[in-house]
Protein backbone atom coordinates (compact mmCIF):
# COMPACT_ATOMS: atom_id res chain seq x y z
CA UNK A 1 0.00 0.00 0.00
CA UNK A 2 1.59 3.24 -1.16
CA UNK A 3 1.13 6.69 0.21
CA UNK A 4 -1.25 8.76 -1.93
CA UNK A 5 1.35 11.54 -2.26
CA UNK A 6 3.87 9.07 -3.64
CA UNK A 7 1.27 7.68 -6.04
CA UNK A 8 0.41 11.16 -7.35
CA UNK A 9 4.11 11.96 -7.80
CA UNK A 10 4.65 8.72 -9.72
CA UNK A 11 1.66 9.44 -11.97
CA UNK A 12 3.09 12.87 -12.81
CA UNK A 13 6.44 11.26 -13.70
CA UNK A 14 4.82 8.72 -16.03
CA UNK A 15 2.43 11.15 -17.79
CA UNK A 16 5.11 13.21 -19.56
CA UNK A 17 6.94 10.28 -21.16
CA UNK A 18 6.17 8.63 -24.48
CA UNK A 19 7.59 5.10 -24.24
CA UNK A 20 7.25 2.55 -27.07
CA UNK A 21 6.31 -1.01 -26.22
CA UNK A 22 9.24 -3.40 -26.32
CA UNK A 23 10.31 -6.62 -24.65
CA UNK A 24 13.38 -8.76 -24.11
CA UNK A 25 15.06 -9.69 -27.39
CA UNK A 26 14.29 -6.42 -29.14
CA UNK A 27 17.12 -4.30 -30.54
CA UNK A 28 16.89 -0.75 -29.23
CA UNK A 29 18.58 2.55 -29.99
CA UNK A 30 18.59 4.84 -26.97
CA UNK A 31 19.32 8.56 -27.10
CA UNK A 32 21.04 9.36 -23.80
CA UNK A 33 21.42 12.97 -22.72
CA UNK A 34 24.96 13.62 -21.47
CA UNK A 35 26.01 16.80 -19.68
CA UNK A 36 29.62 17.88 -19.98
CA UNK A 37 30.21 21.07 -18.05
CA UNK A 38 27.65 23.59 -19.26
CA UNK A 39 27.05 21.78 -22.58
CA UNK A 40 24.75 18.83 -23.17
CA UNK A 41 24.59 16.39 -26.06
CA UNK A 42 22.76 13.21 -27.04
CA UNK A 43 24.74 9.99 -27.44
CA UNK A 44 23.21 6.86 -28.96
CA UNK A 45 23.50 3.46 -27.30
CA UNK A 46 22.36 0.58 -29.49
CA UNK A 47 21.97 -2.98 -28.25
CA UNK A 48 19.68 -5.87 -27.35
CA UNK A 49 17.27 -5.59 -24.43
CA UNK A 50 18.06 -8.60 -22.25
CA UNK A 51 15.79 -7.93 -19.25
CA UNK A 52 12.91 -5.79 -18.02
CA UNK A 53 12.05 -5.62 -14.34
CA UNK A 54 9.93 -3.63 -11.91
CA UNK A 55 6.65 -1.83 -12.45
CA UNK A 56 5.41 1.73 -12.59
CA UNK A 57 8.06 4.38 -12.08
CA UNK A 58 10.51 1.78 -10.77
CA UNK A 59 10.59 -0.09 -14.10
CA UNK A 60 14.10 -0.65 -15.47
CA UNK A 61 15.53 -2.44 -18.48
CA UNK A 62 18.98 -3.77 -19.30
CA UNK A 63 20.55 -3.26 -22.73
CA UNK A 64 23.62 -5.19 -23.89
CA UNK A 65 25.89 -4.38 -26.80
CA UNK A 66 29.25 -5.62 -28.00
CA UNK A 67 31.76 -2.79 -27.78
CA UNK A 68 35.31 -2.38 -28.98
CA UNK A 69 37.57 -5.46 -28.92
CA UNK A 70 34.50 -7.73 -28.56
CA UNK A 71 33.84 -6.67 -24.97
CA UNK A 72 30.22 -6.85 -23.85
CA UNK A 73 28.79 -3.65 -22.37
CA UNK A 74 25.57 -3.70 -20.34
CA UNK A 75 23.71 -0.70 -19.02
CA UNK A 76 20.63 -0.57 -16.83
CA UNK A 77 18.24 2.29 -17.54
CA UNK A 78 15.21 3.48 -15.58
CA UNK A 79 12.36 3.56 -18.09
CA UNK A 80 11.09 6.98 -17.03
CA UNK A 81 14.49 8.62 -16.57
CA UNK A 82 15.04 12.23 -17.59
CA UNK A 83 18.39 11.31 -19.14
CA UNK A 84 16.66 9.12 -21.75
CA UNK A 85 15.82 11.40 -24.64
CA UNK A 86 14.33 8.76 -26.94
CA UNK A 87 13.82 5.01 -27.22
CA UNK A 88 13.66 3.58 -30.72
CA UNK A 89 12.83 -0.07 -31.48
CA UNK A 90 14.94 -1.20 -34.46
CA UNK A 91 14.14 -4.94 -34.56
CA UNK A 92 11.71 -7.26 -32.82
CA UNK A 93 13.36 -10.39 -31.48
CA UNK A 94 11.81 -13.86 -31.49
CA UNK A 95 12.76 -15.28 -28.08
CA UNK A 96 11.17 -17.67 -25.60
CA UNK A 97 12.62 -16.20 -22.42
CA UNK A 98 11.88 -13.08 -20.40
CA UNK A 99 15.50 -12.73 -19.29
CA UNK A 100 18.26 -13.31 -21.83
CA UNK A 101 21.20 -13.58 -19.45
CA UNK A 102 22.52 -16.55 -21.43
CA UNK A 103 23.74 -14.09 -24.09
CA UNK A 104 26.54 -13.09 -21.69
CA UNK A 105 28.29 -16.39 -22.30
CA UNK A 106 27.92 -16.32 -26.07
CA UNK A 107 29.71 -14.39 -28.76
CA UNK A 108 29.66 -14.06 -32.52
CA UNK A 109 26.96 -15.92 -34.42
CA UNK A 110 25.87 -17.82 -31.31
CA UNK A 111 24.70 -14.55 -29.76
CA UNK A 112 22.33 -13.70 -32.60
CA UNK A 113 18.59 -13.45 -32.03
CA UNK A 114 16.08 -14.38 -34.71
CA UNK A 115 13.94 -11.54 -35.95
CA UNK A 116 10.21 -11.78 -35.37
CA UNK A 117 8.57 -11.75 -38.77
CA UNK A 118 4.86 -11.45 -39.30
CA UNK A 119 3.86 -13.72 -42.14
CA UNK A 120 0.79 -12.17 -43.70
CA UNK A 121 0.38 -14.96 -46.25
CA UNK A 122 -0.62 -17.51 -43.58
CA UNK A 123 -4.04 -15.95 -43.18
CA UNK A 124 -4.79 -15.87 -46.91
CA UNK A 125 -6.21 -18.82 -48.74
CA UNK A 126 -3.59 -19.74 -51.35
CA UNK A 127 -5.71 -21.98 -53.56
CA UNK A 128 -5.37 -21.37 -57.25
CA UNK A 129 -8.02 -22.42 -59.72
Amino acid sequence: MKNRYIESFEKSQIEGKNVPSFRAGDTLRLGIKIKEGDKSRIQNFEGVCIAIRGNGVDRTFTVRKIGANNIGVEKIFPLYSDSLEKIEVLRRGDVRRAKLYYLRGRKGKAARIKELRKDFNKNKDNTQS
Side-chain angles (χ1 to χ4, degrees), residues 31-36 39-44 83:
I32 305 163
K33 193 185 305 178
I34 296 176
K35 273 190 98 167
E36 296 171 336
K39 297 180 196 170
S40 68
R41 62 186 176 90
I42 296 174
Q43 180 174 340
N44 288 332
S83 64

Side-chain angles (χ1 to χ4, degrees), residues 56-67:
V57 174
D58 301 328
R59 187 168 213 115
T60 61
F61 61 100
T62 306
V63 179
R64 178 180 175 83
K65 77 170 187 175
I66 302 298

Side-chain angles (χ1 to χ4, degrees), residues 51-116:
I52 300 174
R53 63 169 296 277
N55 55 15
V57 174
D58 301 328
R59 187 168 213 115
T60 61
F61 61 100
T62 306
V63 179
R64 178 180 175 83
K65 77 170 187 175
I66 302 298
N69 298 329
N70 290 330
I71 296 175
V73 178
E74 288 185 12
K75 288 188 178 183
I76 300 172
F77 298 99
L79 191 59
Y80 297 104
S81 171
D82 290 334
S83 64
L84 276 179
E85 193 68 27
K86 66 174 181 169
I87 301 173
E88 192 177 341
V89 180
L90 301 177
R91 291 179 54 193
R92 299 269 180 199
D94 186 18
V95 293
R96 296 183 179 189
R97 304 274 177 272
K99 307 282 192 273
L100 304 179
Y101 296 135
Y102 65 88
L103 290 177
R104 293 172 176 165
R106 297 189 181 186
K107 53 186 172 183
K109 284 188 176 181
R112 284 186 303 184
I113 294 175
K114 284 191 288 185
E115 188 170 1
L116 184 67

